[in-house]
Amino acid sequence: MKTYQVVGIGNAIVDVFAQSDDSFLELMGIEKGIMQLVERERGELLYAAMKDRKQAPGGSVANTLAGLGNLGLTTGFIGRVHDDALGRFYAKSMDDNGTSFVNPPVPGGELPTSRSMIFVSPDGERSMNTYLGISSELGPDDVSDDVAGQAEILFLEGYLYDKPKGKQAFERAAQLCRSNGGKAGIALSDPFCVDRHRESFRRLVRDLDYVIGNEHEWESLYQTDLDTALAQAAQDCGLVVCTRSGRDVILLRGEERAQAPVKRIVPVDATGAGDQFAAGFIYGMATGQALGTCGRMGCVAAAEVISHFGARPETDLKALFRREGLI
């Protein structure tokens, strides 16, 4: 029996929210409705400009782990925060919500804890300004044998591939997990991330048990049309998942193919849809569900999170799965 059913590695980012109108965004030079990376000075300026700000632990894989915790799995998170107010808040919040934050906050003169300043417009649009800070410095020394080696399933965040130390952390964690009988996989994160690391990702895909990406990420990875890309991916990787905007999810495992229908709903806030799809899918995989059921679980979890503000589920996902006849 492993210590953790799922361990994730990703950016440990505090999401900081504030209401704003379009004139404020224009005044501050913030591009509406997108995520952009900012440097430390710019991040501190925007943080100081936020009125009545609220904060919550965030980061793509961390959000997925929150969904898996909602579903009752034992989870651990390998991330890096500074020993400052935001870092201590992040570590405590993860622990309080049922996910073990396995690495203590880092003391000393390193970079501050990562944060994303999210300005919410009256029309619900979110303008995200992310300062990566210390989380992007995560490296192989942050990966403990007792954590990665004790995971039934390992889930990696593609964004961390931007630095050599992040790549080394992934490779060490995946090797520890798989050599101890676990399964390791990754979310491709976004097409631009794939563009930056195409060759590395292609090699990585061949060494992993499952890969989750959307249609644009798969097309970018293989630089071809979707059908051809997925055919190649199915040869390279044990299990391939492709989400498509408003269309059925495609799942491939060797010669096996399944599709999971997507119910169209008007999103209140689309943030976290991919993160919670991953949570539902990984839950299905962890509990031995059929391929199509894993995809349907992902779709149900994604639909829940886009029905309200915030990137983490607010209702009992298992109850939703029961309602859909999935468990």
Side-chain angles (χ1 to χ4, degrees), residues 136-180:
S136 63
E137 295 299 310
L138 184 136
D141 292 344
D142 296 303
V143 178
S144 162
D145 292 27
D146 294 335
V147 178
Q150 283 296 313
E152 292 179 14
I153 294 174
L154 182 72
F155 186 44
L156 310 172
E157 183 178 308
Y159 287 123
L160 271 180
Y161 236 60
D162 275 329
K163 292 200 174 181
K165 286 197 296 186
K167 290 183 184 181
Q168 293 163 16
F170 278 8
E171 288 161 3
R172 171 172 163 75
Q175 193 275 330
L176 282 167
C177 175
R178 299 185 83 205
S179 65
N180 284 280

mmCIF file of all heavy atoms in Angstrom, residues 136-180:
data_model
loop_
_atom_site.group_PDB
_atom_site.id
_atom_site.type_symbol
_atom_site.label_atom_id
_atom_site.label_comp_id
_atom_site.label_asym_id
_atom_site.label_seq_id
_atom_site.Cartn_x
_atom_site.Cartn_y
_atom_site.Cartn_z
ATOM 1 N N SER A 136 9.355 28.496 -9.500
ATOM 2 C CA SER A 136 10.009 28.091 -10.744
ATOM 3 C C SER A 136 11.440 27.611 -10.508
ATOM 4 O O SER A 136 12.102 27.151 -11.435
ATOM 5 C CB SER A 136 10.017 29.249 -11.744
ATOM 6 O OG SER A 136 10.777 30.333 -11.246
ATOM 7 N N GLU A 137 11.923 27.718 -9.269
ATOM 8 C CA GLU A 137 13.260 27.236 -8.917
ATOM 9 C C GLU A 137 13.241 25.794 -8.411
ATOM 10 O O GLU A 137 14.268 25.272 -7.971
ATOM 11 C CB GLU A 137 13.878 28.156 -7.851
ATOM 12 C CG GLU A 137 14.140 29.565 -8.341
ATOM 13 C CD GLU A 137 15.114 29.592 -9.514
ATOM 14 O OE1 GLU A 137 16.190 28.970 -9.418
ATOM 15 O OE2 GLU A 137 14.783 30.226 -10.536
ATOM 16 N N LEU A 138 12.095 25.151 -8.444
ATOM 17 C CA LEU A 138 12.005 23.766 -7.978
ATOM 18 C C LEU A 138 12.961 22.885 -8.777
ATOM 19 O O LEU A 138 13.057 22.994 -9.992
ATOM 20 C CB LEU A 138 10.572 23.258 -8.124
ATOM 21 C CG LEU A 138 10.307 21.846 -7.587
ATOM 22 C CD1 LEU A 138 9.006 21.815 -6.803
ATOM 23 C CD2 LEU A 138 10.248 20.822 -8.696
ATOM 24 N N GLY A 139 13.683 22.018 -8.058
ATOM 25 C CA GLY A 139 14.662 21.166 -8.724
ATOM 26 C C GLY A 139 14.676 19.762 -8.144
ATOM 27 O O GLY A 139 13.864 19.423 -7.266
ATOM 28 N N PRO A 140 15.605 18.928 -8.602
ATOM 29 C CA PRO A 140 15.630 17.523 -8.176
ATOM 30 C C PRO A 140 15.817 17.339 -6.677
ATOM 31 O O PRO A 140 15.359 16.349 -6.108
ATOM 32 C CB PRO A 140 16.793 16.921 -8.974
ATOM 33 C CG PRO A 140 17.615 18.086 -9.424
ATOM 34 C CD PRO A 140 16.670 19.227 -9.584
ATOM 35 N N ASP A 141 16.496 18.293 -6.017
ATOM 36 C CA ASP A 141 16.691 18.174 -4.571
ATOM 37 C C ASP A 141 15.382 18.316 -3.795
ATOM 38 O O ASP A 141 15.314 17.949 -2.617
ATOM 39 C CB ASP A 141 17.685 19.231 -4.074
ATOM 40 C CG ASP A 141 19.104 18.969 -4.576
ATOM 41 O OD1 ASP A 141 19.368 17.835 -5.033
ATOM 42 O OD2 ASP A 141 19.938 19.896 -4.520
ATOM 43 N N ASP A 142 14.360 18.862 -4.437
ATOM 44 C CA ASP A 142 13.050 19.005 -3.791
ATOM 45 C C ASP A 142 12.218 17.729 -3.876
ATOM 46 O O ASP A 142 11.136 17.658 -3.293
ATOM 47 C CB ASP A 142 12.260 20.160 -4.434
ATOM 48 C CG ASP A 142 12.934 21.504 -4.224
ATOM 49 O OD1 ASP A 142 13.162 21.870 -3.065
ATOM 50 O OD2 ASP A 142 13.247 22.176 -5.230
ATOM 51 N N VAL A 143 12.698 16.746 -4.632
ATOM 52 C CA VAL A 143 11.950 15.500 -4.854
ATOM 53 C C VAL A 143 12.479 14.423 -3.910
ATOM 54 O O VAL A 143 13.596 13.944 -4.066
ATOM 55 C CB VAL A 143 12.067 15.038 -6.316
ATOM 56 C CG1 VAL A 143 11.329 13.719 -6.516
ATOM 57 C CG2 VAL A 143 11.528 16.102 -7.261
ATOM 58 N N SER A 144 11.665 14.061 -2.941
ATOM 59 C CA SER A 144 12.064 13.059 -1.951
ATOM 60 C C SER A 144 11.737 11.648 -2.431
ATOM 61 O O SER A 144 10.684 11.407 -3.011
ATOM 62 C CB SER A 144 11.320 13.337 -0.634
ATOM 63 O OG SER A 144 11.331 12.210 0.202
ATOM 64 N N ASP A 145 12.656 10.726 -2.153
ATOM 65 C CA ASP A 145 12.401 9.308 -2.457
ATOM 66 C C ASP A 145 11.128 8.834 -1.780
ATOM 67 O O ASP A 145 10.360 8.039 -2.338
ATOM 68 C CB ASP A 145 13.560 8.435 -1.961
ATOM 69 C CG ASP A 145 14.843 8.657 -2.743
ATOM 70 O OD1 ASP A 145 15.015 9.766 -3.282
ATOM 71 O OD2 ASP A 145 15.665 7.732 -2.808
ATOM 72 N N ASP A 146 10.909 9.312 -0.550
ATOM 73 C CA ASP A 146 9.769 8.850 0.246
ATOM 74 C C ASP A 146 8.440 9.404 -0.257
ATOM 75 O O ASP A 146 7.386 8.974 0.207
ATOM 76 C CB ASP A 146 9.953 9.242 1.716
ATOM 77 C CG ASP A 146 11.125 8.523 2.366
ATOM 78 O OD1 ASP A 146 11.484 7.427 1.881
ATOM 79 O OD2 ASP A 146 11.690 9.063 3.334
ATOM 80 N N VAL A 147 8.476 10.370 -1.151
ATOM 81 C CA VAL A 147 7.234 10.935 -1.701
ATOM 82 C C VAL A 147 6.998 10.399 -3.112
ATOM 83 O O VAL A 147 6.041 9.672 -3.364
ATOM 84 C CB VAL A 147 7.273 12.476 -1.683
ATOM 85 C CG1 VAL A 147 5.986 13.043 -2.296
ATOM 86 C CG2 VAL A 147 7.447 12.990 -0.256
ATOM 87 N N ALA A 148 7.894 10.727 -4.044
ATOM 88 C CA ALA A 148 7.707 10.266 -5.430
ATOM 89 C C ALA A 148 7.729 8.742 -5.519
ATOM 90 O O ALA A 148 6.981 8.137 -6.292
ATOM 91 C CB ALA A 148 8.790 10.858 -6.332
ATOM 92 N N GLY A 149 8.569 8.105 -4.697
ATOM 93 C CA GLY A 149 8.643 6.647 -4.716
ATOM 94 C C GLY A 149 7.471 5.972 -4.038
ATOM 95 O O GLY A 149 7.292 4.758 -4.170
ATOM 96 N N GLN A 150 6.669 6.758 -3.321
ATOM 97 C CA GLN A 150 5.510 6.213 -2.615
ATOM 98 C C GLN A 150 4.201 6.689 -3.221
ATOM 99 O O GLN A 150 3.186 6.803 -2.527
ATOM 100 C CB GLN A 150 5.579 6.591 -1.129
ATOM 101 C CG GLN A 150 6.566 5.760 -0.328
ATOM 102 C CD GLN A 150 6.148 4.287 -0.289
ATOM 103 O OE1 GLN A 150 5.007 3.966 -0.033
ATOM 104 N NE2 GLN A 150 7.092 3.397 -0.562
ATOM 105 N N ALA A 151 4.229 7.006 -4.517
ATOM 106 C CA ALA A 151 3.030 7.468 -5.232
ATOM 107 C C ALA A 151 2.515 6.381 -6.165
ATOM 108 O O ALA A 151 3.285 5.815 -6.939
ATOM 109 C CB ALA A 151 3.353 8.722 -6.028
ATOM 110 N N GLU A 152 1.218 6.100 -6.082
ATOM 111 C CA GLU A 152 0.610 5.198 -7.059
ATOM 112 C C GLU A 152 0.564 5.876 -8.427
ATOM 113 O O GLU A 152 0.800 5.249 -9.459
ATOM 114 C CB GLU A 152 -0.794 4.806 -6.608
ATOM 115 C CG GLU A 152 -0.832 3.925 -5.375
ATOM 116 C CD GLU A 152 -2.249 3.586 -4.949
ATOM 117 O OE1 GLU A 152 -3.190 3.807 -5.746
ATOM 118 O OE2 GLU A 152 -2.424 3.114 -3.807
ATOM 119 N N ILE A 153 0.241 7.190 -8.422
ATOM 120 C CA ILE A 153 0.164 7.973 -9.656
ATOM 121 C C ILE A 153 0.895 9.287 -9.431
ATOM 122 O O ILE A 153 0.716 9.949 -8.403
ATOM 123 C CB ILE A 153 -1.302 8.244 -10.053
ATOM 124 C CG1 ILE A 153 -2.015 6.936 -10.417
ATOM 125 C CG2 ILE A 153 -1.381 9.230 -11.225
ATOM 126 C CD1 ILE A 153 -3.504 7.091 -10.671
ATOM 127 N N LEU A 154 1.734 9.678 -10.394
ATOM 128 C CA LEU A 154 2.447 10.953 -10.365
ATOM 129 C C LEU A 154 1.899 11.825 -11.483
ATOM 130 O O LEU A 154 1.705 11.363 -12.605
ATOM 131 C CB LEU A 154 3.942 10.715 -10.567
ATOM 132 C CG LEU A 154 4.849 11.938 -10.518
ATOM 133 C CD1 LEU A 154 4.976 12.456 -9.088
ATOM 134 C CD2 LEU A 154 6.238 11.592 -11.071
ATOM 135 N N PHE A 155 1.660 13.111 -11.171
ATOM 136 C CA PHE A 155 1.110 14.038 -12.158
ATOM 137 C C PHE A 155 2.014 15.263 -12.233
ATOM 138 O O PHE A 155 2.265 15.927 -11.230
ATOM 139 C CB PHE A 155 -0.317 14.438 -11.769
ATOM 140 C CG PHE A 155 -1.031 15.278 -12.802
ATOM 141 C CD1 PHE A 155 -0.972 14.969 -14.144
ATOM 142 C CD2 PHE A 155 -1.794 16.372 -12.409
ATOM 143 C CE1 PHE A 155 -1.634 15.732 -15.098
ATOM 144 C CE2 PHE A 155 -2.479 17.134 -13.348
ATOM 145 C CZ PHE A 155 -2.389 16.821 -14.691
ATOM 146 N N LEU A 156 2.509 15.539 -13.432
ATOM 147 C CA LEU A 156 3.492 16.595 -13.654
ATOM 148 C C LEU A 156 2.862 17.774 -14.402
ATOM 149 O O LEU A 156 1.998 17.596 -15.249
ATOM 150 C CB LEU A 156 4.661 16.052 -14.480
ATOM 151 C CG LEU A 156 5.295 14.745 -13.999
ATOM 152 C CD1 LEU A 156 6.294 14.221 -15.023
ATOM 153 C CD2 LEU A 156 5.970 14.944 -12.657
ATOM 154 N N GLU A 157 3.349 18.982 -14.101
ATOM 155 C CA GLU A 157 2.844 20.207 -14.724
ATOM 156 C C GLU A 157 3.825 20.687 -15.782
ATOM 157 O O GLU A 157 4.974 21.014 -15.469
ATOM 158 C CB GLU A 157 2.653 21.274 -13.634
ATOM 159 C CG GLU A 157 2.057 22.578 -14.129
ATOM 160 C CD GLU A 157 1.848 23.553 -12.972
ATOM 161 O OE1 GLU A 157 1.225 23.166 -11.967
ATOM 162 O OE2 GLU A 157 2.314 24.692 -13.095
ATOM 163 N N GLY A 158 3.369 20.763 -17.027
ATOM 164 C CA GLY A 158 4.246 21.114 -18.131
ATOM 165 C C GLY A 158 4.948 22.450 -17.990
ATOM 166 O O GLY A 158 6.071 22.625 -18.466
ATOM 167 N N TYR A 159 4.299 23.408 -17.316
ATOM 168 C CA TYR A 159 4.889 24.739 -17.177
ATOM 169 C C TYR A 159 6.269 24.706 -16.527
ATOM 170 O O TYR A 159 7.118 25.543 -16.820
ATOM 171 C CB TYR A 159 3.974 25.640 -16.330
ATOM 172 C CG TYR A 159 2.728 26.100 -17.034
ATOM 173 C CD1 TYR A 159 1.478 25.834 -16.494
ATOM 174 C CD2 TYR A 159 2.796 26.837 -18.214
ATOM 175 C CE1 TYR A 159 0.320 26.271 -17.118
ATOM 176 C CE2 TYR A 159 1.650 27.282 -18.848
ATOM 177 C CZ TYR A 159 0.403 26.996 -18.290
ATOM 178 O OH TYR A 159 -0.727 27.432 -18.919
ATOM 179 N N LEU A 160 6.498 23.754 -15.628
ATOM 180 C CA LEU A 160 7.776 23.708 -14.920
ATOM 181 C C LEU A 160 8.929 23.299 -15.828
ATOM 182 O O LEU A 160 10.086 23.356 -15.423
ATOM 183 C CB LEU A 160 7.689 22.757 -13.727
ATOM 184 C CG LEU A 160 7.214 23.377 -12.409
ATOM 185 C CD1 LEU A 160 7.165 22.337 -11.319
ATOM 186 C CD2 LEU A 160 8.115 24.531 -11.980
ATOM 187 N N TYR A 161 8.613 22.886 -17.045
ATOM 188 C CA TYR A 161 9.668 22.472 -17.967
ATOM 189 C C TYR A 161 10.484 23.649 -18.496
ATOM 190 O O TYR A 161 11.450 23.472 -19.217
ATOM 191 C CB TYR A 161 9.050 21.696 -19.135
ATOM 192 C CG TYR A 161 9.637 20.324 -19.299
ATOM 193 C CD1 TYR A 161 9.548 19.400 -18.278
ATOM 194 C CD2 TYR A 161 10.301 19.954 -20.460
ATOM 195 C CE1 TYR A 161 10.089 18.139 -18.415
ATOM 196 C CE2 TYR A 161 10.850 18.692 -20.616
ATOM 197 C CZ TYR A 161 10.737 17.791 -19.587
ATOM 198 O OH TYR A 161 11.287 16.551 -19.713
ATOM 199 N N ASP A 162 10.097 24.867 -18.141
ATOM 200 C CA ASP A 162 10.795 26.045 -18.665
ATOM 201 C C ASP A 162 12.208 26.204 -18.120
ATOM 202 O O ASP A 162 12.987 26.987 -18.656
ATOM 203 C CB ASP A 162 9.989 27.315 -18.380
ATOM 204 C CG ASP A 162 8.937 27.570 -19.447
ATOM 205 O OD1 ASP A 162 9.170 27.195 -20.603
ATOM 206 O OD2 ASP A 162 7.879 28.132 -19.124
ATOM 207 N N LYS A 163 12.555 25.509 -17.035
ATOM 208 C CA LYS A 163 13.905 25.620 -16.482
ATOM 209 C C LYS A 163 14.540 24.235 -16.383
ATOM 210 O O LYS A 163 13.858 23.258 -16.079
ATOM 211 C CB LYS A 163 13.872 26.289 -15.110
ATOM 212 C CG LYS A 163 13.474 27.758 -15.174
ATOM 213 C CD LYS A 163 13.907 28.499 -13.934
ATOM 214 C CE LYS A 163 13.641 29.989 -14.082
ATOM 215 N NZ LYS A 163 14.091 30.728 -12.879
ATOM 216 N N PRO A 164 15.854 24.157 -16.621
ATOM 217 C CA PRO A 164 16.536 22.853 -16.548
ATOM 218 C C PRO A 164 16.303 22.134 -15.221
ATOM 219 O O PRO A 164 16.146 20.909 -15.204
ATOM 220 C CB PRO A 164 18.013 23.229 -16.746
ATOM 221 C CG PRO A 164 17.984 24.491 -17.533
ATOM 222 C CD PRO A 164 16.771 25.235 -17.057
ATOM 223 N N LYS A 165 16.285 22.881 -14.110
ATOM 224 C CA LYS A 165 16.079 22.233 -12.808
ATOM 225 C C LYS A 165 14.702 21.587 -12.724
ATOM 226 O O LYS A 165 14.533 20.541 -12.101
ATOM 227 C CB LYS A 165 16.244 23.246 -11.669
ATOM 228 C CG LYS A 165 17.674 23.636 -11.402
ATOM 229 C CD LYS A 165 17.864 24.300 -10.048
ATOM 230 C CE LYS A 165 17.138 25.610 -9.924
ATOM 231 N NZ LYS A 165 17.468 26.291 -8.658
ATOM 232 N N GLY A 166 13.702 22.223 -13.352
ATOM 233 C CA GLY A 166 12.363 21.648 -13.372
ATOM 234 C C GLY A 166 12.339 20.347 -14.142
ATOM 235 O O GLY A 166 11.725 19.366 -13.718
ATOM 236 N N LYS A 167 13.012 20.323 -15.286
ATOM 237 C CA LYS A 167 13.118 19.091 -16.070
ATOM 238 C C LYS A 167 13.760 17.976 -15.243
ATOM 239 O O LYS A 167 13.300 16.832 -15.238
ATOM 240 C CB LYS A 167 13.974 19.318 -17.325
ATOM 241 C CG LYS A 167 13.345 20.187 -18.391
ATOM 242 C CD LYS A 167 14.285 20.247 -19.582
ATOM 243 C CE LYS A 167 13.751 21.187 -20.652
ATOM 244 N NZ LYS A 167 14.638 21.255 -21.832
ATOM 245 N N GLN A 168 14.849 18.326 -14.546
ATOM 246 C CA GLN A 168 15.552 17.331 -13.737
ATOM 247 C C GLN A 168 14.665 16.808 -12.603
ATOM 248 O O GLN A 168 14.699 15.620 -12.284
ATOM 249 C CB GLN A 168 16.840 17.932 -13.182
ATOM 250 C CG GLN A 168 17.880 18.244 -14.245
ATOM 251 C CD GLN A 168 18.948 19.204 -13.753
ATOM 252 O OE1 GLN A 168 19.106 19.419 -12.547
ATOM 253 N NE2 GLN A 168 19.687 19.787 -14.681
ATOM 254 N N ALA A 169 13.863 17.702 -12.028
ATOM 255 C CA ALA A 169 12.941 17.282 -10.965
ATOM 256 C C ALA A 169 11.923 16.289 -11.508
ATOM 257 O O ALA A 169 11.610 15.275 -10.873
ATOM 258 C CB ALA A 169 12.239 18.498 -10.363
ATOM 259 N N PHE A 170 11.377 16.592 -12.692
ATOM 260 C CA PHE A 170 10.409 15.695 -13.334
ATOM 261 C C PHE A 170 11.021 14.322 -13.575
ATOM 262 O O PHE A 170 10.422 13.290 -13.281
ATOM 263 C CB PHE A 170 9.978 16.267 -14.685
ATOM 264 C CG PHE A 170 8.911 17.311 -14.604
ATOM 265 C CD1 PHE A 170 8.502 17.824 -13.386
ATOM 266 C CD2 PHE A 170 8.316 17.788 -15.748
ATOM 267 C CE1 PHE A 170 7.528 18.799 -13.312
ATOM 268 C CE2 PHE A 170 7.336 18.765 -15.697
ATOM 269 C CZ PHE A 170 6.943 19.267 -14.477
ATOM 270 N N GLU A 171 12.207 14.345 -14.181
ATOM 271 C CA GLU A 171 12.834 13.079 -14.563
ATOM 272 C C GLU A 171 13.128 12.225 -13.331
ATOM 273 O O GLU A 171 12.916 11.009 -13.345
ATOM 274 C CB GLU A 171 14.104 13.367 -15.364
ATOM 275 C CG GLU A 171 13.791 13.884 -16.767
ATOM 276 C CD GLU A 171 14.960 14.596 -17.417
ATOM 277 O OE1 GLU A 171 16.052 14.638 -16.798
ATOM 278 O OE2 GLU A 171 14.785 15.124 -18.527
ATOM 279 N N ARG A 172 13.606 12.856 -12.275
ATOM 280 C CA ARG A 172 13.878 12.123 -11.038
ATOM 281 C C ARG A 172 12.588 11.559 -10.443
ATOM 282 O O ARG A 172 12.517 10.387 -10.065
ATOM 283 C CB ARG A 172 14.564 13.044 -10.035
ATOM 284 C CG ARG A 172 14.707 12.451 -8.635
ATOM 285 C CD ARG A 172 15.569 13.322 -7.735
ATOM 286 N NE ARG A 172 15.384 12.983 -6.345
ATOM 287 C CZ ARG A 172 15.877 11.898 -5.762
ATOM 288 N NH1 ARG A 172 16.579 11.029 -6.459
ATOM 289 N NH2 ARG A 172 15.655 11.660 -4.483
ATOM 290 N N ALA A 173 11.546 12.393 -10.385
ATOM 291 C CA ALA A 173 10.279 11.951 -9.790
ATOM 292 C C ALA A 173 9.656 10.813 -10.596
ATOM 293 O O ALA A 173 9.178 9.819 -10.035
ATOM 294 C CB ALA A 173 9.308 13.120 -9.690
ATOM 295 N N ALA A 174 9.650 10.956 -11.919
ATOM 296 C CA ALA A 174 9.051 9.926 -12.771
ATOM 297 C C ALA A 174 9.804 8.602 -12.628
ATOM 298 O O ALA A 174 9.192 7.523 -12.568
ATOM 299 C CB ALA A 174 9.038 10.379 -14.222
ATOM 300 N N GLN A 175 11.140 8.685 -12.572
ATOM 301 C CA GLN A 175 11.939 7.469 -12.438
ATOM 302 C C GLN A 175 11.664 6.780 -11.096
ATOM 303 O O GLN A 175 11.493 5.563 -11.024
ATOM 304 C CB GLN A 175 13.427 7.814 -12.574
ATOM 305 C CG GLN A 175 14.339 6.609 -12.764
ATOM 306 C CD GLN A 175 14.760 5.959 -11.450
ATOM 307 O OE1 GLN A 175 14.871 6.628 -10.430
ATOM 308 N NE2 GLN A 175 14.979 4.649 -11.485
ATOM 309 N N LEU A 176 11.586 7.577 -10.021
ATOM 310 C CA LEU A 176 11.304 7.023 -8.693
ATOM 311 C C LEU A 176 9.926 6.369 -8.654
ATOM 312 O O LEU A 176 9.751 5.274 -8.134
ATOM 313 C CB LEU A 176 11.380 8.127 -7.637
ATOM 314 C CG LEU A 176 12.774 8.567 -7.195
ATOM 315 C CD1 LEU A 176 12.687 9.873 -6.404
ATOM 316 C CD2 LEU A 176 13.434 7.482 -6.361
ATOM 317 N N CYS A 177 8.937 7.062 -9.212
ATOM 318 C CA CYS A 177 7.560 6.557 -9.208
ATOM 319 C C CYS A 177 7.462 5.257 -10.003
ATOM 320 O O CYS A 177 6.958 4.239 -9.501
ATOM 321 C CB CYS A 177 6.623 7.611 -9.777
ATOM 322 S SG CYS A 177 4.908 7.064 -9.960
ATOM 323 N N ARG A 178 7.962 5.260 -11.228
ATOM 324 C CA ARG A 178 7.789 4.108 -12.110
ATOM 325 C C ARG A 178 8.623 2.909 -11.658
ATOM 326 O O ARG A 178 8.191 1.763 -11.794
ATOM 327 C CB ARG A 178 8.131 4.499 -13.545
ATOM 328 C CG ARG A 178 7.237 5.615 -14.082
ATOM 329 C CD ARG A 178 7.515 5.908 -15.534
ATOM 330 N NE ARG A 178 6.799 4.989 -16.414
ATOM 331 C CZ ARG A 178 7.190 4.695 -17.642
ATOM 332 N NH1 ARG A 178 8.301 5.203 -18.127
ATOM 333 N NH2 ARG A 178 6.477 3.869 -18.376
ATOM 334 N N SER A 179 9.802 3.171 -11.109
ATOM 335 C CA SER A 179 10.636 2.052 -10.661
ATOM 336 C C SER A 179 10.040 1.358 -9.442
ATOM 337 O O SER A 179 10.391 0.221 -9.136
ATOM 338 C CB SER A 179 12.048 2.531 -10.343
ATOM 339 O OG SER A 179 12.050 3.423 -9.241
ATOM 340 N N ASN A 180 9.114 2.040 -8.764
ATOM 341 C CA ASN A 180 8.430 1.447 -7.620
ATOM 342 C C ASN A 180 7.007 1.002 -7.970
ATOM 343 O O ASN A 180 6.168 0.828 -7.090
ATOM 344 C CB ASN A 180 8.410 2.426 -6.448
ATOM 345 C CG ASN A 180 9.751 2.521 -5.745
ATOM 346 O OD1 ASN A 180 10.098 1.668 -4.942
ATOM 347 N ND2 ASN A 180 10.519 3.548 -6.074
#
